[in-house]
Amino acid sequence: EAKWRSYIEQSPMGVFLADEKGRYREVNHAACVMTRYAKGDLIGRHISDLLAPESAYEGMAHFRQLAETGAAEGVFRLKRHDGELIWCLISAVRLENNRFLAFCQDITGQQIMAQDLRESEKRYRQLFEFMIVGFALHEVILDADGVPCDYRFLAVNPAFERLTGLKAKDIIGRTVLEALPGTEPYWIQTYGSVALTGKPIYFEQFNAALDKYFEVAAYSPSPMQFATIFQDITDRKRAEESLQSKTALLEAQVSVTIDGIL
């Protein structure tokens, strides 16, 4: 008993021993540090005294489950003696003498990081959904000789659907040659090089399968994958072609006129 008491006292995790009514009968040093209560102030307190309001219901449900099944685990928000709130992972078991032993780990840092990650993902998801340029993520497919021969659609944004006329539900998981059999080899070779070398590329190119001109920036976010950010420049390119044709015609007419005069 002395040996186990020594182990528990030296444990870096907070250890709480409670009776059948949920009142603390013993705690270790780590539990006092974690809750910022003196040991004498913790002994006799009810489990609910340390639960933050938002975790009160779940915490007591956790205690009832522990009493019924003999073991329970969950993440709860605890209120320290000075009022500061922390997140804790609590694992508890029922002992033979109808008491309960709980091990508590402060995971506030992990919870904050997880929350920041969720918020960051939400912001990027909103950017992904509402950006006016098309975005698509693909994985390159190689032939037996290791040469890019196709690529598969992994994700596209709404702007991609609007600019290409292709729907995510119809192409995700399919290859470009399945979705657009008329795709020129240029696209596969160019994107395959980006995926294999990791070197980004920027270019303007006509896509015969879609009958459109695109301005494209492509990069590799991870091995064997490439992402594209693009916009439709068909109107601009055709306006340039029209202007070039008119300029060439005008120059020809001027040349004929000058020749006639001379």
Side-chain angles (χ1 to χ4, degrees), residues 55-156:
S55 288
Y57 177 81
E58 291 182 358
M60 294 315 299
H62 176 269
F63 181 70
R64 288 192 295 271
Q65 177 188 351
L66 176 61
E68 293 171 1
T69 66
E73 182 175 277
V75 174
F76 307 98
R77 210 164 191 193
L78 301 188
K79 182 173 61 177
R80 286 173 160 166
H81 184 54
D82 58 8
E84 182 181 350
L85 300 179
I86 60 173
W87 287 99
C88 290
L89 172 64
I90 300 178
S91 301
V93 294
R94 185 181 61 206
L95 304 179
E96 292 181 355
N97 56 2
N98 208 27
R99 292 192 173 191
F100 306 95
L101 187 64
F103 297 88
C104 183
Q105 181 180 1
D106 184 349
I107 59 170
T108 305
Q110 295 94 310
Q111 288 292 105
I112 292 175
M113 290 177 62
Q115 179 62 30
D116 290 344
L117 179 60
R118 286 192 293 270
E119 292 178 356
S120 178
E121 289 177 343
K122 181 180 179 180
R123 288 193 295 269
Y124 281 109
R125 171 56 60 178
Q126 290 174 335
L127 174 63
F128 180 81
E129 295 291 338
F130 295 110
M131 62 193 300
I132 61 175
V133 294
F135 174 88
L137 178 65
H138 320 75
E139 64 178 0
V140 68
I141 298 173
L142 307 180
D143 62 18
D145 297 321
V147 177
C149 62
D150 205 345
Y151 57 83
R152 191 180 311 280
F153 291 96
L154 300 180
V156 300

Side-chain angles (χ1 to χ4, degrees), residues 3 9 18 92 115 127 130 164 181 187 224 226 238:
K3 183 187 297 184
E9 186 60 32
Q115 179 62 30
L127 174 63
F130 295 110
T164 66
W187 295 94
M224 298 299 291
F226 68 91
R238 288 182 175 160

Side-chain angles (χ1 to χ4, degrees), residues 7 48 80 127 139 170 197 202-204 246:
Y7 290 158
S48 60
R80 286 173 160 166
L127 174 63
E139 64 178 0
D170 298 327
T197 66
Y202 167 84
F203 61 96
E204 295 179 0
K246 290 179 180 178

